[in-house]
Amino acid sequence: MSRKTVLTTMAVMLALAAGAWFVLPPGGRADYLGRYRKELRVGFANEPPYSFSDNGEVTGEAPVVLKHAAEKLGLVNIRWVLMSFNSLIDELVAGHIDVIAAGMFVTPDRAARIRFSIPTAMVGQGLLVHEGNPYGLHSYEDAVARQGVQVAVLDGAVEQGYLRALGMAESRIFACQDVETALSALRYQRVAALALSSPSVGYLAVKSGGTLEAAFPFADPVIGGEKTVGTCALGFRKTDTALAEAFDRALKDFIGSPEHLELLAPLGYGPANVPSLRD
């Protein structure tokens, strides 16, 4: 090889290296989040205070956490996709969305299909009832034992599984695709109660203006000898390892921080709902 050829080859290699300097992130690794910088599709369900649209802005526990991590990762082009809670995992696995931000509880069945982020919240259960709690329901066990009482749930939510596990007949479980339908069923006395997690019940009780209330005192259901305290997290496809790991890194120092608590306080969450601060 002539000297001229060698010099030309070296010049080309240096030019390529110089170009790579501008497209590779710090550390020289490939931009593994490049496809999501163009658009990050986030699926959510309308279940306040976990995720919901307020005057056109998507907010709630999960979206607040998602937005913080996405901004830290430079993923500023977010497309929010509203869908029924029960369809979120199917749509994620099918590739129609990239992340689930809906306050989804981590369960073995769900974890077998998708990858969850580090925990973002921990909550107990609750019942939304009419003012004065006319049926005297203070637990899911009470609702199961009271023959003739029907309870509304979100289709596919953990509360549906809890009631089944406690022995409630399917004919008494009123499965709804969204919170609005479930609330209508309760307001018009199609059902005696709406079973949701405690933050949702508290939030909806306040929003009802006094016509509905959270059953109090309330005992978390006991399934298999253990109380059911739910752990919430963001959801990713199992194949999207790089995206999931990037979010975990971005969330590690945020969950439980003063900023995190300040953002969630208006939604009814406190230190007891934060995994890293829970006793």
Side-chain angles (χ1 to χ4, degrees), residues 209-259:
T211 59
L212 304 174
E213 65 182 44
F216 181 84
F218 183 83
D220 282 318
V222 177
I223 308 292
E226 295 184 1
K227 283 192 174 182
T228 51
V229 176
T231 299
C232 304
L234 304 176
F236 303 86
R237 278 185 293 277
K238 283 184 174 290
T239 54
D240 283 350
T241 303
L243 182 64
E245 290 180 347
F247 266 87
D248 280 349
R249 288 192 296 271
L251 291 173
K252 185 177 179 181
D253 295 329
F254 175 66
I255 302 299
S257 67
E259 180 186 5

Side-chain angles (χ1 to χ4, degrees), residues 6-183:
V6 172
L7 292 175
T8 301
T9 302
M10 290 179 62
V12 171
M13 292 176 64
L14 288 172
L16 290 173
W21 175 264
F22 293 102
V23 298
L24 296 181
R29 295 176 299 168
D31 186 5
Y32 52 85
L33 298 181
R35 59 180 289 198
Y36 304 110
R37 296 191 196 285
K38 296 178 181 178
E39 182 180 71
L40 182 70
R41 301 166 300 170
V42 181
F44 75 103
N46 192 25
E47 186 188 353
Y50 292 102
S51 60
F52 59 103
S53 180
D54 184 20
N55 293 322
E57 179 182 357
V58 178
T59 186
E61 181 272 328
V64 163
V65 168
L66 183 285
K67 289 176 185 178
H68 172 87
E71 182 178 357
K72 194 170 182 179
L73 295 171
L75 307 178
V76 297
N77 297 316
I78 298 175
R79 176 159 68 91
W80 297 96
V81 184
L82 176 63
M83 55 187 62
S84 67
F85 185 88
N86 201 30
S87 67
L88 285 165
I89 290 181
D90 287 339
E91 294 296 304
L92 177 68
V93 173
H96 299 151
I97 56 176
D98 304 309
V99 189
I100 294 174
M104 182 172 282
F105 282 21
V106 179
T107 68
D109 288 344
R110 290 170 180 167
R113 299 191 64 196
I114 66 174
R115 173 171 177 154
F116 283 101
S117 69
I118 62 174
T120 63
M122 292 187 73
V123 298
Q125 298 303 306
L127 275 175
L128 188 67
V129 297
H130 283 279
E131 182 183 11
N133 196 0
Y135 291 91
L137 304 177
H138 298 285
S139 67
Y140 290 175
E141 288 87 347
D142 284 349
V144 172
R146 188 68 59 87
Q147 294 298 319
V149 164
Q150 284 191 303
V151 178
V153 298
L154 285 184
D155 192 22
V158 294
E159 292 79 20
Q160 185 177 32
Y162 291 158
L163 291 171
R164 286 170 175 167
L166 291 169
M168 180 171 276
E170 288 294 333
S171 60
R172 296 174 55 202
I173 301 175
F174 191 71
C176 304
Q177 291 298 314
D178 51 56
V179 171
E180 288 79 6
T181 303
L183 282 173

